[in-house]
Amino acid sequence: MTTPSLPRRTPGDSGRKYTVPEPLPGAPSRALRIRAAGGWERFMRRAELPQPEETET
């Protein structure tokens, strides 16, 4: 009894397309998360700048 050989697979595209899953209801969208990350980077850069001394009057 002989076992039939399996068909040979060639590496490459499987034909399936990857899609980004939709966010859950109430979760922030990808665009909003990207905007928030950019704002956080600006905030951190601004925090690193030397602050001028406040004078009391």
Side-chain angles (χ1 to χ4, degrees), residues 1-43:
M1 184 165 115
T2 62
T3 306
S5 61
L6 295 173
R8 230 159 153 63
R9 291 191 58 189
T10 57
D13 190 19
S14 66
R16 289 185 283 175
K17 301 295 181 200
Y18 177 75
T19 57
V20 178
E22 291 294 322
L24 297 173
S29 66
R30 177 171 166 72
L32 182 60
R33 291 193 314 265
I34 291 171
R35 280 181 46 210
W40 180 252
E41 289 171 8
R42 283 192 305 275
F43 172 79

